[in-house]
Amino acid sequence: MAIKVENNTIYLGVKDLIVSRKHSKTLSSFPLPQRGMLGQKAQINLQRHKKRHYGLFHSEYHVKQEYNYQNYTFVVQGRIDGVYQLKERVEIEEIKSVILEKKEFRNLQILGYPEFSDQVLFYAYLLQDALGGLEVGAFLILINLIDDARQTFKIPYNRLKVENSLFNRFSLILSTVKRQEEEQSRRQNAIRRINFELPENRPQQKALMQTVHDALSEKQHLMVSAPTGIGKTAAALYPAIRYAYLHNKKIFFLTSKTTQQNIVRQSIHPLIEQNLDLHTLFIRASKKMCANDVFFCHETYCAFAKDFHDRLLNSNTLQNILEQNLLTPEFIFDQAIQHTLCPFETSMEAAQYADILVGDYNYVFDPAVSLRQLFQKKDNSDWILIIDEAHNLYDRGVEYLSPQLKADTLKNLADFTARKKTKVYQRLAEALQNILQFFKDLDIEGESHHSGQQYFQTHLDIARWEDALALYEAAFIKYLIEKIKKKWLIVDDPLESFFFALRRFVQVARNQSDAFTIYYNADSGGILHIQCCDPSEYLGRIIDRFHAVIAMSATLDPMHFYQSVLGFPEYRTQKTQMSSPFPADHRRIIIAPHISTRYKDRNTTYPKIAEIITQTIRQKTGNYLVFFPSFEFLQNVNLFLGRSPYTTILQRPGMTEQIRDEVLNELRIHSEPKLLLAVMGGIFSEGIDYAGDMAIGVIIISPALPKISYDRELLRNYYDNKLNMGMEYAYIFPGMNKVIQSVGRLIRSATDRGIVLLIGERFASEEFNHLLPSYWFEKEGDVVITSDVKKAVQTFWKATRK
């Protein structure tokens, strides 16, 4: 219920007055992704073609009235689909869409849709008061999206009956508000009894907790760069939980990898053990939660989707789930399938009652998959957002806003639809051919003005692309209805996938700023790209909707870079940098500047790098992690490592989480030492704890500069023009971030000891060296730059034995 209470005033919409009475008459119990779009389009078409010869017609007519009830003021507002102003009365119409079999729609009784009738009657009551008691006629129009058939029902309007219903609803709402106030008071008393003290005394962690508390109290955003071992997760969560509990807020904890969610679970567990009533729900993608044989969300093909809402209401599944505090995907899945309910939709229902949600960045920032049922408003001030490993959000933001369309995909779809003889496919074929013409024009442009170039920048005629989208959308809607009507099962439908790809492309194309570059790749059949160079405006708009956003990472440096690219507003953003909680004597950072790791020199330095690795791991037996900038570099150095007493484990492209976990288990077994060769920015270099003896050394081969590409050069040019820092923003800052993240795998506790070896002459240059964390240089000797790596390693290990 989207109701806002301020002092003795209650603000609500007409839809908040409706008592939901779910029915199972539709073919699909779930709103299809296009469901809202279909209904809206049907409404627009109906009103556009109306030919009433009397009255002045207003669409989307806004009404707002105030009513006093039991010492409270209720402010009710909404938008009526259509209002006809006549000489002595007004008529209103509310338009609703359904998806029903033709025969079922013809025999439809409006009594089966009481919430539709309630809505139009409440609108009539509000409008009559707004117009000084003028006579009002109420009409409800139902459109069947299967075939555009429609029925109009005159809804009898009895003011006294509607008034009784309205004030009965006020009474229920007021009871709910008072119960919520009592519940909030109970929660405030409960949270004050909880011990938020942490088991270890870490001064930096306590300082960070206070900083987070202050930011939340002041409704400020906070960017935190804090090295591994401080305990950032608990330091952010504990004050956020306390604040949210006391101020009726909710928390969304965002992670870029599922492994980071385990740390959240561990952090919350001590609070739950104290009997804190805290529901934490971990969100898993719908496809991974699917219980059906095929991933196809339609009741015709999925027993778990059929009559979902009816069966959810008639079972105790949701109540049973909410009796637990840790709502894991596995637990919800087991509970849902016991009652043949869709596990993902069940988790979304449970999310409405959760205090904390834990999930991927996409659920907030990706326009295609964000949780609109939670974040559909422009104001999310009832939420606190915590972004873990926030340095990853920049690349994600760029990815969300950098769509592409492939000519080959279009050609294949055009050929497929052209072979079909039915009208619905012919419409699609026509729309696809229309879009293919853009690619033909681009090929001509390339031949005429960019001969011999694989890439060239171009511009888009937005009006033409809008028309193309409208044409394909219209054809696709007819196709979608045909699928529903004839019960076609098309898993991973390419025509549907292309619709969403085209819609995202056009949505992004509407951005006409210099942060976006349109270019064409003439190879691979032709690919049209929109490259986002700067997602800060988009990300910043979302960030600023929240009560507060806590963005934290071990490598949020340089801070000005991340504040700039993530769009954190200067006027309400605090920044803090923490030092390491562990003694500097427990580690030694060694830079080997005599080896060139530049691309042009690599063929001659592969054996030298292998020799340094071998020398290093021979000085003390234990597990070592060696991180490379690419798989190619890794494989070439591995060729020169030769025979070794170490078991060598190589990361390979496309490794699954299961294989990663098996490798981590191997590192925990101390039967023989292991040498893990992995890539920076991969599954072994972020979000993983190598605690204790899992690793005693990290060796970094070269700054992990992104590979030179056309996309990356566009970034460089953009930031050169904007800040005169193109090389830094496009290559150096992202590359060094991966280095520092990889180094952070070492020293995870106060008892850990180990060495860090940075191989490459660039690590000793000022351009790169000044980006290393300041806490690495607490005193002289913490960082050693030397070509005698063997001696430096020996010296450290001898010192640790004293």
Side-chain angles (χ1 to χ4, degrees):
M1 184 165 58
I3 296 174
K4 181 180 177 182
V5 182
E6 289 183 354
N7 298 321
N8 277 24
T9 303
I10 298 175
Y11 300 87
L12 63 158
V14 167
K15 290 184 179 179
D16 296 318
L17 298 169
I18 310 302
V19 178
S20 179
R21 284 163 279 194
K22 298 285 183 182
H23 47 77
S24 55
K25 297 192 176 219
T26 56
L27 285 175
S28 174
S29 298
F30 295 111
L32 294 168
Q34 304 87 350
R35 179 67 175 80
M37 175 192 70
L38 291 171
Q40 185 179 30
K41 200 169 189 68
Q43 176 182 328
I44 292 171
N45 288 338
L46 174 65
Q47 292 182 334
R48 181 184 296 157
H49 294 97
K50 275 195 171 297
K51 294 187 177 179
R52 297 205 184 199
H53 59 278
Y54 62 96
L56 180 63
F57 177 70
H58 303 275
S59 63
E60 298 294 321
Y61 190 96
H62 183 261
V63 286
K64 181 178 180 180
Q65 289 297 117
E66 295 184 5
Y67 300 96
N68 294 319
Y69 181 79
Q70 292 189 9
N71 297 321
Y72 280 80
T73 299
F74 284 78
V75 180
V76 188
Q77 60 182 324
R79 290 185 184 276
I80 306 171
D81 287 340
V83 174
Y84 294 90
Q85 287 185 302
L86 309 175
K87 288 183 178 180
E88 298 179 353
R89 72 182 192 281
V90 291
E91 292 182 358
I92 67 171
E93 64 181 24
E94 192 65 16
I95 302 169
K96 299 294 183 183
S97 58
V98 295
I99 301 177
L100 297 173
E101 296 282 9
K102 291 182 179 180
K103 181 179 179 181
E104 192 175 6
F105 184 76
R106 284 197 302 270
N107 298 326
L108 179 147
Q109 297 294 316
I110 198 59
L111 293 176
Y113 297 85
E115 58 267 50
F116 292 171
S117 299
D118 289 348
Q119 186 173 344
V120 73
L121 288 173
F122 284 136
Y123 278 139
Y125 187 90
L126 264 65
L127 184 63
Q128 189 171 50
D129 283 350
L131 299 179
L134 197 64
E135 181 186 347
V136 177
F139 295 85
L140 184 62
I141 301 173
L142 294 188
I143 302 175
N144 190 10
L145 297 178
I146 286 289
D147 57 1
D148 286 336
R150 64 195 63 167
Q151 290 196 55
T152 300
F153 300 89
K154 186 174 184 355
I155 309 300
Y157 172 61
N158 182 305
R159 180 175 174 82
L160 185 58
K161 285 184 178 180
V162 177
E163 187 172 88
N164 287 335
S165 295
L166 178 66
F167 282 90
N168 284 336
R169 188 66 180 133
F170 284 170
S171 179
L172 290 172
I173 290 171
L174 193 54
S175 297
T176 301
V177 168
K178 289 180 177 179
R179 280 199 308 271
Q180 289 174 344
E181 289 174 348
E182 292 171 0
E183 173 65 10
Q184 184 62 17
S185 177
R186 183 196 68 79
R187 285 165 64 90
Q188 290 174 348
N189 291 329
I191 198 72
R192 292 187 177 99
R193 294 193 296 268
I194 299 301
N195 179 13
F196 282 93
E197 290 297 318
L198 295 161
E200 295 183 46
N201 183 18
R202 302 182 188 179
Q204 292 88 345
Q205 188 179 47
K206 288 187 175 181
L208 180 54
M209 291 176 75
Q210 184 62 49
T211 303
V212 171
H213 172 268
D214 292 344
L216 295 174
S217 300
E218 298 166 11
K219 298 183 181 180
Q220 292 280 298
H221 303 314
L222 178 64
M223 298 180 68
V224 181
S225 184
T228 298
I230 281 180
K232 293 186 293 295
T233 302
L237 263 177
Y238 279 20
I241 290 170
R242 188 198 297 268
Y243 186 91
Y245 230 81
L246 291 172
H247 297 87
N248 199 27
K249 306 291 182 185
K250 293 190 174 189
I251 299 168
F252 204 139
F253 194 106
L254 297 183
T255 66
S256 59
K257 295 181 174 66
T258 54
T259 52
Q260 295 158 295
Q261 297 183 6
N262 292 329
I263 303 173
V264 177
R265 194 177 312 185
Q266 293 164 11
S267 300
I268 291 171
H269 191 68
L271 305 181
I272 293 175
E273 283 189 324
Q274 298 179 60
N275 297 317
L276 180 64
D277 185 16
L278 185 75
H279 291 102
T280 303
L281 186 143
F282 296 81
I283 302 174
R284 183 176 288 172
S286 56
K287 197 164 189 176
K288 291 184 178 180
M289 288 285 278
C290 184
N292 199 17
D293 293 336
V294 293
F295 179 61
F296 194 78
C297 294
H298 193 282
E299 68 164 18
T300 307
Y301 308 102
C302 180
F304 300 94
K306 187 176 177 62
D307 301 335
F308 172 80
H309 287 103
D310 282 348
R311 285 185 290 103
L312 182 69
L313 289 171
N314 294 330
S315 72
N316 290 322
T317 306
L318 198 55
Q319 293 89 325
N320 292 339
I321 287 172
L322 293 173
E323 287 178 1
Q324 301 296 317
N325 285 302
L326 281 177
L327 308 180
T328 65
E330 296 80 10
F331 170 68
I332 292 177
F333 186 94
D334 291 341
Q335 290 291 313
I337 62 174
Q338 287 180 29
H339 298 278
T340 323
L341 293 167
C342 170
F344 180 76
E345 287 298 322
T346 302
S347 72
M348 290 297 97
E349 292 289 334
Q352 308 290 331
Y353 303 92
D355 301 291
I356 303 175
L357 297 182
V358 183
D360 190 85
Y361 295 175
N362 298 343
Y363 296 121
V364 172
F365 290 104
D366 187 346
V369 299
S370 61
L371 300 179
R372 292 179 181 85
Q373 62 268 51
L374 297 178
F375 302 117
Q376 60 184 341
K377 301 177 296 180
K378 291 184 179 180
D379 177 12
N380 294 321
S381 58
D382 50 345
W383 285 87
I384 296 166
L385 191 64
I386 302 175
I387 309 174
D388 196 19
E389 304 294 354
H391 63 277
N392 288 309
L393 182 57
Y394 171 51
D395 286 340
R396 289 286 194 96
V398 169
E399 180 185 331
Y400 298 147
L401 300 176
S402 299
Q404 63 180 31
L405 295 176
K406 296 183 178 181
D408 283 349
T409 300
L410 270 164
K411 289 173 184 174
N412 291 335
L413 291 175
D415 291 344
F416 168 74
T417 51
R419 290 194 298 269
K420 301 283 187 176
K421 302 305 179 185
T422 56
K423 190 174 183 180
V424 69
Y425 280 106
Q426 292 303 310
R427 289 195 189 98
L428 288 166
E430 180 184 347
L432 290 164
Q433 287 295 337
N434 181 59
I435 301 169
L436 270 174
Q437 185 59 50
F438 292 128
F439 284 84
K440 293 174 183 177
D441 294 344
L442 286 165
D443 287 333
I444 294 172
E445 181 183 347
E447 292 171 3
S448 302
H449 304 291
H450 309 281
S451 180
Q453 296 181 30
Q454 178 180 350
Y455 304 100
F456 62 86
Q457 293 184 30
T458 185
H459 72 280
L460 301 179
D461 185 334
I462 300 301
R464 283 186 64 197
W465 277 94
E466 294 278 11
D467 290 343
L469 172 61
L471 184 63
Y472 186 80
E473 183 178 80
F476 177 70
I477 288 172
K478 297 293 185 184
Y479 166 73
L480 174 67
I481 291 171
E482 191 78 359
K483 281 175 63 177
I484 295 171
K485 189 162 57 175
K486 295 189 176 178
K487 300 181 181 179
W488 292 341
L489 173 59
I490 305 175
V491 180
D492 298 327
D493 187 345
L495 290 166
E496 185 170 332
S497 298
F498 179 73
F499 169 73
F500 287 115
L502 177 62
R503 189 173 67 170
R504 175 179 284 209
F505 187 90
V506 175
Q507 285 173 339
V508 175
R510 293 174 185 140
N511 294 286
Q512 296 293 295
S513 75
D514 59 359
F516 295 85
T517 300
I518 295 95
Y519 72 90
Y520 188 63
N521 178 359
D523 285 1
S524 304
I527 306 173
L528 181 59
H529 297 255
I530 300 177
Q531 176 64 42
C532 173
C533 298
D534 183 0
S536 61
E537 184 179 346
Y538 169 78
L539 297 176
R541 280 200 307 269
I542 296 174
I543 284 168
D544 228 23
R545 294 173 187 167
F546 288 85
H547 171 84
V549 177
I550 312 300
M552 56 188 190
S553 172
T555 54
L556 211 55
D557 297 301
M559 194 77 81
H560 66 82
F561 165 69
Y562 282 104
Q563 181 174 5
S564 169
V565 297
L566 298 182
F568 277 88
E570 190 68 42
Y571 78 98
R572 61 176 296 212
T573 301
Q574 301 176 15
K575 300 182 283 292
T576 186
Q577 293 182 302
M578 312 296 293
S579 60
S580 174
F582 306 129
D585 292 342
H586 288 192
R587 68 166 182 272
R588 182 61 45 80
I589 297 163
I590 303 165
I591 296 176
H594 61 293
I595 301 292
S596 172
T597 56
R598 296 180 186 274
Y599 189 80
K600 62 183 179 61
D601 300 322
R602 289 180 183 177
N603 284 335
T604 60
T605 57
Y606 291 142
K608 297 176 184 177
I609 291 170
E611 182 182 356
I612 293 176
I613 293 171
T614 302
Q615 282 183 353
T616 300
I617 64 178
R618 283 176 178 169
Q619 305 313 309
K620 183 176 175 63
T621 301
N623 297 335
Y624 289 83
L625 315 175
V626 186
F627 291 108
F628 296 84
S630 69
F631 284 104
E632 180 184 11
F633 206 150
L634 182 158
Q635 293 286 356
N636 284 321
V637 170
N638 182 53
L639 294 174
F640 292 94
L641 283 175
R643 300 183 65 180
S644 166
Y646 281 72
T647 298
T648 303
I649 304 171
L650 272 64
Q651 179 184 349
R652 301 188 186 280
M655 266 190 171
T656 63
E657 291 183 7
Q658 180 181 350
I659 296 174
R660 178 205 59 205
D661 292 342
E662 291 171 359
V663 170
L664 295 178
N665 286 331
E666 285 189 51
L667 294 175
R668 293 186 183 99
I669 300 171
H670 303 306
S671 57
E672 57 186 14
K674 281 94 176 176
L675 182 66
L676 172 63
L677 307 186
V679 295
M680 286 177 268
I683 59 174
F684 291 105
S685 69
E686 292 190 28
I688 301 290
D689 281 340
Y690 296 88
D693 294 333
M694 285 183 70
I696 65 168
V698 169
I699 303 173
I700 305 293
I701 314 299
S702 179
L705 302 187
K707 188 176 181 180
I708 295 175
S709 65
Y710 190 79
D711 291 352
R712 190 58 58 171
E713 286 296 287
L714 288 176
L715 289 177
R716 185 176 65 81
N717 291 335
Y718 172 80
Y719 285 107
D720 261 342
N721 293 331
K722 184 177 180 180
L723 301 170
N724 198 29
M725 296 183 70
M727 188 67 187
E728 291 86 345
Y729 271 57
Y731 293 98
I732 297 176
F733 293 164
M736 289 301 289
N737 184 283
K738 290 182 180 179
V739 169
I740 300 166
Q741 273 289 332
S742 299
V743 171
R745 300 314 97 209
L746 191 69
I747 311 295
R748 310 296 295 192
S749 74
T751 58
D752 291 355
R753 286 166 171 76
I755 60 130
V756 174
L757 175 58
L758 308 178
I759 299 177
E761 86 290 0
R762 283 175 287 189
F763 287 124
S765 70
E766 176 64 21
E767 186 179 20
F768 290 82
N769 191 268
H770 84 282
L771 295 175
L772 299 177
S774 58
Y775 66 87
W776 287 12
F777 301 86
E778 289 182 358
K779 65 180 188 303
E780 187 176 351
D782 286 348
V783 177
V784 177
I785 301 177
T786 178
S787 58
D788 193 346
V789 173
K790 179 179 178 181
K791 181 179 178 181
V793 173
Q794 286 177 338
T795 301
F796 172 74
W797 288 125
K798 285 179 182 178
T800 61
R801 290 195 291 267
K802 293 180 180 179

